[in-house]
Amino acid sequence: MDTADDSTMHIVIFPWLAFGHLLPCLELAERLAARGHRVSFVSTPRNLERLPSVPPALAPLVELVALPLPRIDGLPDGAESTSDVPYDKFELHRKAFDGLAAPFAAFLDAACAAVDGGARRRPDWVIADFIHHWVAAAAQDRNVPCAMLVPCAASIAGSAGPPPPVDSDAEQRQAIDQSMSAAPPFEQQQAAELFATVGDSGPSIISRFVQTLARSRFFAARSCPELEPEAFPLLTRLYGKPAVPLGMLPPQPDGTRGVSWSTEDDDSTMRWLDAQPAKSVVTPVGVQEDGIVPDGFVERTGDRGLVATRWVPQVRVLAHGAVGAFLTHCGWGSIVEGLQFGHPLIMLPIFGDQGPNARLMEGWKVGLQAARNETDGSFDRHGVAGAVRAVAAEEEGKVLATNARKLQHIVADRACQERCIDVFIQHLRSCKG
C-alpha cells in the first residue's frame, strides 16, 4: 500500500446526489485517505449530514465540502438526494443540481489558488460522476485532470452511451451491448425517455455522459477484473480511454457505515430477525410510504413477516443469519451488498441500469426476475410470489445460492478490493501529465 510521502495527492470527489453514489464514493475517499492522500468530498449539506462519520484517524484528510442546493419551484424543500424526490420530479432535481455549477467553480478556483507545501494544496485530480459534465468542464478549464466515475458494472458501462468513434470488432460490441438489446419493450421505451430525451433540466443523461467522458483522462467502473475479466480491456478499446477497475467498494460487513434515520426502528428490525430461523427470511427493498401498504396487510402478515415503512439498516439486515434471499430493485449498490453476503437474488428492476443489472445477474446464474408484462412492465403478486418460491424454496434456488456464494468470495475479498484501489491510484499518477 502507498504511504503518505511526497507523492501523495489532493483529490476532489463529486458524486451524484444519490446514496447509491454517495456511499461508495465516501468509501473510496476513505480508502484514498488511508494511503495518505487528501480528499475534498463535495455534496450538499443535508446529504453530507446523513452520511456516516469518517473514522477519526482519517478525518483530518477528508474535507466535506457543502454546496447548498438551489431552490427550484416544484421541488420539495430539503429534497437533496434522489431518495427525497418523487420520480416525476427527477428532472427538477437535475435542474437544481445544475445550479451547483457556479458554486463548484468558485470552490475549485479557491482550491487551485492554494500553494503547494502549505496547509492547503491545489487539487491534483477531480473525480466526476458520470453525468457531471460541468464538473469535468470546470476541471479542464483550470488545468486539473479529471477522471470519470461510472458506479456500475463494467459490462453495463459498455452500453451506457452511443458507439464510440473507434475501430472495434462488431462481435465484441454486440457482446457488450447484449444486455440492453435484450431489454423488453417497456424498458427500451423507458430508457429512451430517461436517458436520451432533453427535458426541463437541459442536456439528456446520454449527452451529459458523453461530455463528461470526453473531458476525462480515463474512467473507472465499480467492479473488478476478478468479477468481469474481459470487460475492462474491451471497454478501453471501445471508448479509446483507459477503463480502470475501482473495485466493488463493499460497505463494512457489520453494517455500521450505512445511512440510517431511526436507531429505534433499526433495533426493532434486528430484534425481529433474531427471532427467525436461519436462512428463512426473504428481504425486500423497504417501503417508504405508509399508503403503499394495503389496508389490513400488516395485521394479516404479522405472524409471518415484519413491515417497515421507513429506511432500514440494509447491510445489517443482509448480514443477519436469518436471511436466505434478497428481493431487490437491482441497483448496483444493492447487488454488491447482497453478493457480499452470498445471497441469491429475487429481482424486480424499476428503471435506469437496474434492468441490465438484473439480466447480468441472470447470466451469472445468481438471481431470478419476477415475471412481468413486457409491454407495459406491470407485474402482480403471482409473479412475485413465483420468483420468491423458486429462489427461496425450490431446487433452482439451491443452484442460485451456490453461485452467489462463489461470487461472495470475490465481492467480500478485502485484499482483492484494496488491490483495485492501488491500481486506480497508479492510473491517477500515470495519467496526470
Side-chain angles (χ1 to χ4, degrees), residues 282-354:
V282 173
T283 305
V285 176
V287 177
Q288 296 184 24
E289 298 291 341
D290 293 346
I292 295 177
V293 180
D295 291 340
F297 181 83
V298 173
E299 293 75 15
R300 293 195 304 273
T301 60
D303 60 341
R304 292 180 289 140
L306 174 70
V307 175
T309 59
R310 291 178 55 85
W311 285 69
V312 296
Q314 180 166 290
V315 176
R316 289 181 64 196
V317 170
L318 292 173
H320 199 282
V323 174
F326 181 24
L327 197 162
T328 173
H329 70 311
C330 294
W332 187 236
S334 288
I335 287 178
V336 169
E337 292 174 6
L339 294 180
Q340 181 181 8
F341 300 104
H343 295 313
L345 307 175
I346 303 154
M347 301 182 294
L348 193 62
I350 307 300
F351 71 97
D353 66 344
Q354 297 163 11

Side-chain angles (χ1 to χ4, degrees), residues 401-414:
T402 297
N403 292 333
R405 286 192 294 270
K406 290 178 181 177
L407 292 190
Q408 180 185 16
H409 293 304
I410 297 174
V411 177
D413 184 346
R414 290 281 164 173

Side-chain angles (χ1 to χ4, degrees), residues 201-216:
S201 65
S204 68
I205 291 179
I206 287 296
S207 176
R208 293 167 185 262
F209 170 87
V210 171
Q211 292 181 58
T212 308
L213 177 63
R215 296 181 173 115
S216 299

